[in-house]
Amino acid sequence: MRKMFGNSFSNWTLVVLSVIAAWFVDFSEAHKLSKRKASDVACVENGKYYRNPDVSKKNCFTYYFCLGGTVFEYSCSGGLMFDIKQQICNFEDQVKNCNVNAETTSPRPRLNTLEPICPPEQLACNGGQCIDKAKFCDGNDDCGDYSDEVVCGFSEDPNLAPACNRTECVIPDCFCSAGGATPPVIKDVTTIPQMVLLTFDGAVNVQNYELYQSIFSANRTNKNGCPIRGTFFVSHEYTNYQFVEKIWKDGHEIASNSIT
């Protein structure tokens, strides 16, 4: 392990990224690794994956999908278990619903009625009781039937930020960008501001300190002349903290690398 880390920072980064990429491919391909028609399993056609309704044959890593009356069987890979609520394969200690066969559909709140049910800044649950608007889509069952956690999509969430007002938001102080990717109409595109974030992951020591020094050399600056800076997600193993202190004193941001 130490010998591997002794290679250049770039090679070490590629190794780490390759391992992570391989893991994600394996994780995302879980639906495809094992698929067959299951004529012996009852169809639950609700548009979602479910477990075998037959308790004697049910396990936590096999799941099914019914389409047009035909049941397809899938299996999670690599010791993963299927999470009914999130509809994904996940680590065993993260799956808390192995005893649940299928995801139940929660009732919808009463948001669009001919006459208002609730006072301003409150909304109606499916049962008609009024709760604060801020309690909708906050991850808690405030209505008692989860109806306040159902309409939480990008176009339904009652607490979404209001749409950009094109009559009030005008250049040069403000600009409504469709989708956030459309720049204002500027003749010289080279004058459009850009933001580039530099982040680094892993140990900081004598093997890569000089590389960081060369990246953040004094002759590389922002357009306004200010020096460029990065964020370092530092892992404890193999790190020499005198170099961490040096890059911190140079004005870089230091963060703790997550442990998995």
Side-chain angles (χ1 to χ4, degrees), residues 96-121:
K96 310 296 183 183
N97 48 42
C98 284
N99 61 328
V100 179
N101 291 339
E103 186 179 10
T104 57
T105 302
S106 298
R108 296 177 67 85
R110 302 171 67 180
L111 301 182
N112 301 312
T113 56
L114 294 177
E115 296 292 334
I117 298 176
C118 302
E121 297 306 315

Side-chain angles (χ1 to χ4, degrees), residues 58-77:
K58 182 179 66 176
N59 60 59
C60 204
F61 57 84
T62 303
Y63 54 102
Y64 305 87
F65 188 87
C66 185
L67 180 63
T70 301
V71 178
F72 297 91
E73 179 184 293
Y74 301 83
S75 293
C76 295
S77 62

